[in-house]
Amino acid sequence: MSGGDAPTTPPLASGPGGPDALRPLLATVLDALATGAEERGGPLPAGGPETVTARVADALGDALPDTGDPDALHTLVRTLAAGAADPADPLCAAHLHCPPLAVATAADLAASALNPSLDSWDQAPAASALEAAVARTLARTAGLADALVTTGGTESNQLALLLAREAHGTDLRLVCGTAAHHSLPRAAWLLGLPDPVLIPTPRGTLDPAALDETLTALPGPVLVAATAGTTDTGLIDPLPEIAGLCTAHGARLHIDAAYGAGLLFSDRHRDKLAGLEAAHTVTLDLHKLGWQPVAAGLLAVARPGELTTLHQHADYLNADDDTEAGLPDLLGRSLRTTRRPDILKIAVTLRTLGRSGLGALADQVCARAREFAALIREHPGFELYAPPVISTVLFRPAEADDTAVAAVRRRLLHEGRAVLGRARPDGRLWLKVTVLNPHTRPDDLAHLLKLAEGSTPA
């Protein structure tokens, strides 16, 4: 190249100069996050999808310009923050979408900077050792032997069905309640299994008598999937009774505890998960009741030997002579090849807060949910679905039809004032609040109810 200055190579996030390169960029990101949140001014942006899309398009401009823009980091982070549904806002309470802890988010930055890939030991020496130790600890906390790290509940449920199919054959039949997570029947379809047997759950949980009747009439290998924390209502199936029926009928048991697993940290609520230890596999998901940035899922297994079915050989990653020489083989720890070290943020959180610290957070959100339910019960203008088991509360304006209930939610979304969920546990439409923010105060909940009241069509 002749004339002019040579182009500058952008700095890297790791290596000797990584921390110095990141430091001013972090300041830029933090300023953009603060500015964007101030512009948003609430739990989510006002104006609905068209308004948000237009703002994003205006900020983005040409997504791949000929010449780069040095202000792109600030502009796009600010735009994302201004257009976010912020789970740290107490009025953003629709989904199992938690506000991540600051310490976990800081750890996640380190994982991104170092960028280990957990598909071979030579790409992730420390991360692979950390993952093995922490995953095993979490599995034992649930009463099982080992665990794989996943992207969340859906992947964990798919892996559970895969392990069951490989252990019991392609005639394996999934049995679950209609309140079970949609990823379970979908996993059966993806894996080519027979159509699942869905047991009606009019009360929101799997009825042992109905399960007994189903298992008695059903030939062949069976996988029963129970739920500890349903998505719509936060209910927990009667796990000990279900486990006993599975033993009596020779059925395999999977428990989807993606939501409820966080109760394991709580002395006050841990007993709600009695029976978890009887499962062959258990889905855990700490980006729900664990306050982790996405993704932070695990699948705990009672029989680690079953994991051999996941083994794959690729000479450049797990050559036989390398394995014989002592290098760990990581390909059998996931269906994915490239995997980021999501275990780091989990490990940092567990060590920083300990069981008691995490248990206190779980206790706090459960207590806030009970307080919100009490507010609804005492309010003549609202109907409460049921007392919360974990931290999900369903309610609806009294005497309102489903159209009016849906209008309440959409009006608050469009105005950017609150994010409420929706559920149909009994055929009627209910508004849903999932309390996952431990900083939520009683007056936040009172304000949320007031907003719903003011948005109810006359």
Side-chain angles (χ1 to χ4, degrees):
M1 181 180 294
S2 60
D5 296 329
T8 302
T9 302
L12 302 176
S14 59
D20 288 336
L22 280 172
R23 195 166 284 113
L25 296 176
L26 290 180
T28 298
V29 167
L30 295 176
D31 178 73
L33 287 172
T35 303
E38 185 177 352
E39 291 176 0
R40 186 180 66 244
L44 80 166
E50 291 184 2
T51 299
V52 174
T53 299
R55 289 173 182 164
V56 170
D58 182 62
L60 180 62
D62 185 352
L64 185 60
D66 290 335
T67 303
D69 176 7
D71 294 326
L73 177 64
H74 189 280
T75 299
L76 294 181
V77 172
R78 173 180 173 178
T79 301
L80 190 69
D86 184 4
D89 190 302
L91 303 182
C92 184
H95 302 286
L96 289 166
H97 178 197
C98 72
L101 294 166
V103 70
T105 305
D108 216 23
L109 169 65
S112 294
L114 293 168
N115 210 29
S117 180
L118 281 138
D119 49 320
S120 66
W121 183 89
D122 58 357
Q123 298 176 81
S128 59
L130 186 68
E131 181 180 87
V134 176
R136 194 175 303 117
T137 295
L138 286 168
R140 290 173 178 170
T141 301
L144 281 76
D146 199 0
L148 303 178
V149 176
T150 69
T151 53
T154 294
E155 184 186 351
S156 293
N157 286 339
Q158 290 173 350
L159 273 173
L161 264 69
L162 174 63
L163 294 179
R165 186 193 71 179
E166 295 305 293
H168 300 283
T170 57
D171 291 335
L172 179 77
R173 182 69 65 90
L174 170 67
V175 174
C176 61
T178 52
H181 195 263
H182 63 84
S183 63
L184 287 161
R186 190 182 192 195
W189 168 71
L190 285 169
L191 292 168
L193 296 175
D195 290 341
V197 176
L198 302 180
I199 300 176
T201 53
R203 296 185 178 180
T205 56
L206 189 56
D207 176 44
L211 177 62
D212 188 26
E213 183 179 345
T214 300
L215 294 179
T216 300
L218 199 61
V222 171
L223 170 65
V224 173
T227 306
T230 57
T231 304
D232 278 351
T233 57
L235 298 178
I236 297 174
D237 287 337
L239 303 179
E241 293 86 346
I242 292 171
L245 287 170
C246 287
T247 298
H249 288 278
R252 185 182 176 101
L253 175 60
H254 170 65
I255 298 177
D256 179 1
Y259 179 11
L263 299 181
L264 288 168
F265 304 119
S266 166
D267 291 337
R268 184 176 304 170
H269 295 286
R270 188 182 305 134
D271 287 349
K272 293 177 180 178
L273 298 180
L276 205 66
E277 71 285 348
H280 293 80
T281 50
V282 173
T283 287
L284 314 172
D285 196 346
L286 296 181
H287 61 245
K288 292 181 172 64
L289 203 63
W291 301 280
Q292 298 299 295
V294 174
L298 298 103
L299 178 70
V301 298
R303 302 170 180 173
E306 291 185 346
L307 298 180
T308 57
T309 193
L310 302 179
H311 176 75
Q312 289 290 309
H313 182 267
D315 194 68
Y316 75 105
L317 294 174
N318 60 349
D320 290 340
D321 57 322
D322 278 349
T323 302
E324 291 167 3
L327 297 183
D329 178 359
L330 305 184
L331 285 188
R333 302 291 300 178
S334 178
L335 291 179
R336 293 171 286 147
T337 303
T338 301
R339 291 192 296 120
R340 72 189 307 273
D342 288 316
I343 202 66
L344 175 62
K345 61 199 174 194
I346 298 173
V348 167
T349 301
L350 297 180
R351 287 279 293 168
T352 301
L353 275 70
R355 186 193 298 271
S356 62
L358 284 163
L361 296 182
D363 291 347
Q364 197 155 338
V365 296
C366 290
R368 291 290 91 82
R370 291 195 301 272
E371 292 168 6
F372 187 51
L375 285 176
I376 296 165
R377 190 183 299 112
E378 295 163 4
H379 195 299
F382 289 98
E383 179 182 354
L384 177 69
Y385 176 72
V389 173
I390 306 178
S391 66
T392 297
V393 182
L394 300 187
F395 68 107
R396 54 182 283 138
E399 309 300 329
D401 60 18
D402 287 357
T403 300
V405 174
V408 171
R409 176 177 175 272
R410 286 196 289 268
R411 181 177 298 175
L412 291 172
L413 285 174
H414 187 81
E415 294 171 354
R417 293 195 293 167
V419 189
L420 299 176
R422 54 184 288 162
R424 289 185 182 272
D426 60 357
R428 295 188 296 165
L429 184 63
W430 295 77
L431 298 173
K432 180 174 71 169
V433 165
T434 308
V435 184
L436 291 179
N437 184 348
H439 290 273
T440 299
R441 305 182 307 270
D443 57 332
D444 294 319
L445 299 172
H447 182 46
L448 184 58
L449 195 59
K450 191 75 174 177
L451 287 174
E453 181 181 21
S455 296
T456 302

